Amino acid sequence: MELILDGITKRVGPQVWLHGMGLRLHSDAVTVLLGATQAGKTSLMRIMAGLDRPTEGRVRVDGVDVTGVPVRERNVAMVYQQFINYPSLTVADNIASPLKLRGDKNVAARVRELAERLHITPFLDRLPSELSGGQQQRVALARALAKGAPLMLLDEPLVNLDYKLREELREELSQLFAAGGSTVVYATTEPGEALLLGGYTAVLHEGELLQYGPTAEVFHAPRSLRVARAFSDPPMNLLPAQPVPGGVQLAGGSVLALRHPLQAPAGGTLTVGLRASALRLAQRAGDVAVQGVVELAEISGSDTFVHAATPWGALVAQVTGVHYLELGSAVTLYLDPAQAYVFGADGALALAPVRASERAQGGH
């Protein structure tokens, strides 16, 4: 199914919630709407579904203008943040409801298949109120999949689950969506979900579409500082810098030599962006070192997040492994200059790191 949004604007009173947005979704693929709260994700999805009508612009499905066609006349499946199921129906009947509506002849077999895929087979005879939050959301997902709609919209479906359940369902959803068959739109505030789901990502900010493209491309080559901020967790380290021959100079006098010239002339102060994962505690050949003082060391899963005060400014390093660092102790962080982003004075991307795959192929 091809869904095209053409100049979609949404105003509520004097406020503009969506600004002239144009978007052509890739058929039978996952598109992630990534942005902070109030970025416009839910407003856009409601227009896609037919729940709301845009103030301006058109919605086209497979070439047909469906602007203003209500959701009940569309073949759309939706999953929300809340665990929305029919409370008086068993899990099996919840999943079966869309199958019965369309006259499916193999309801029981299809229900069991979906229950197995979402690991809820033991709960088929229970009511939703007897399940945990994660189990209830699995039921809602199974019912949405049972509908077999060409368009599936998921509005932050994992946000109300605990960390462990979110991790489990993320993995399962990426596998479910990989099977194809539906155009999937998935809204989230978390860059990690976008990376895991793959497909395509549209980065939104305050009702504006900042960038849209293959998820890996948007992540590795954010078009602007605003995109880089939205697509970094933990936040990208952003440091003021000045252009010097062959590189950029950071506060404290350190110079990062750039392997390639900047893509565009940059006047005024530049901004160097360093992902937290690019900073290390162990030195490698060609690294630049910066001395610092540990302000905080957080262990999260198999990583340690080191917050340090340095001559460059405050830095956060995401280091693989568990490291115990005392507050106030000295620490040396290392960086390969080839992993630095450079943004111009206007906030536009001037230079992105060469990706590992490109280096292997001799790319530039």
Side-chain angles (χ1 to χ4, degrees), residues 234-250:
M236 181 180 282
N237 297 289
L238 300 174
L239 309 171
Q242 297 295 327
V244 296
V248 292
Q249 186 176 42
L250 300 172

Side-chain angles (χ1 to χ4, degrees), residues 234-235 294-307 316-325 327:
V294 175
E295 295 188 322
L296 180 65
E298 301 175 290
I299 297 172
S300 177
S302 59
D303 291 336
T304 303
F305 292 86
V306 182
H307 299 247
V316 179
Q318 182 178 358
V319 184
T320 301
V322 175
H323 301 266
Y324 297 98
L325 303 172
L327 301 187

Side-chain angles (χ1 to χ4, degrees), residues 87-335:
S88 61
L89 299 182
T90 65
V91 169
D93 287 336
N94 263 278
I95 301 171
S97 58
L99 298 169
K100 292 176 179 177
L101 280 174
R102 70 168 187 240
D104 196 299
K105 295 181 180 179
N106 299 302
V107 173
R110 182 67 173 144
V111 166
R112 184 158 293 278
E113 176 195 343
L114 287 166
E116 288 175 357
R117 287 171 66 184
L118 285 156
H119 309 296
I120 51 176
T121 304
F123 315 119
L124 286 174
D125 294 328
R126 297 188 189 180
L127 295 173
S129 60
E130 300 175 289
L131 307 182
S132 69
Q135 291 160 354
Q136 290 185 55
Q137 194 65 307
R138 289 173 192 268
V139 175
L141 287 164
R143 193 175 69 252
L145 289 167
K147 190 170 184 180
L151 177 62
M152 181 180 290
L153 305 174
L154 300 100
D155 189 5
E156 299 190 53
L158 310 184
V159 72
N160 289 324
L161 304 181
D162 63 38
Y163 176 80
K164 184 177 180 182
L165 282 173
R166 285 202 305 271
E167 291 297 301
E168 289 177 1
L169 271 175
R170 279 174 186 158
E171 294 284 350
E172 292 167 14
L173 286 176
S174 63
Q175 296 171 17
L176 288 170
F177 297 156
S182 294
T183 298
V184 177
V185 182
Y186 187 104
T188 183
T189 61
E190 299 189 30
E193 284 192 347
L195 289 170
L196 183 62
L197 293 172
Y200 300 83
T201 291
V203 180
L204 306 182
H205 178 72
E206 295 181 352
E208 181 183 352
L209 176 62
L210 302 184
Q211 188 170 346
Y212 175 57
T215 296
E217 180 181 303
V218 177
F219 177 77
H220 289 291
R223 188 176 295 164
S224 66
L225 270 172
R226 289 197 295 170
V227 176
R229 286 192 184 103
F231 215 153
S232 296
D233 183 23
M236 181 180 282
N237 297 289
L238 300 174
L239 309 171
Q242 297 295 327
V244 296
V248 292
Q249 186 176 42
L250 300 172
S254 296
V255 173
L256 300 182
L258 302 178
R259 297 185 181 182
H260 307 289
L262 298 179
Q263 294 176 359
T269 300
L270 306 176
T271 299
V272 169
L274 307 175
R275 294 200 187 275
S277 57
L279 295 163
R280 299 183 301 274
L281 295 175
Q283 186 173 17
R284 298 176 185 171
D287 278 357
V288 171
V290 61
Q291 305 293 326
V293 175
V294 175
E295 295 188 322
L296 180 65
E298 301 175 290
I299 297 172
S300 177
S302 59
D303 291 336
T304 303
F305 292 86
V306 182
H307 299 247
T310 78
W312 297 355
L315 294 176
V316 179
Q318 182 178 358
V319 184
T320 301
V322 175
H323 301 266
Y324 297 98
L325 303 172
E326 293 185 11
L327 301 187
S329 64
V331 65
T332 303
L333 299 175
Y334 297 96
L335 168 75

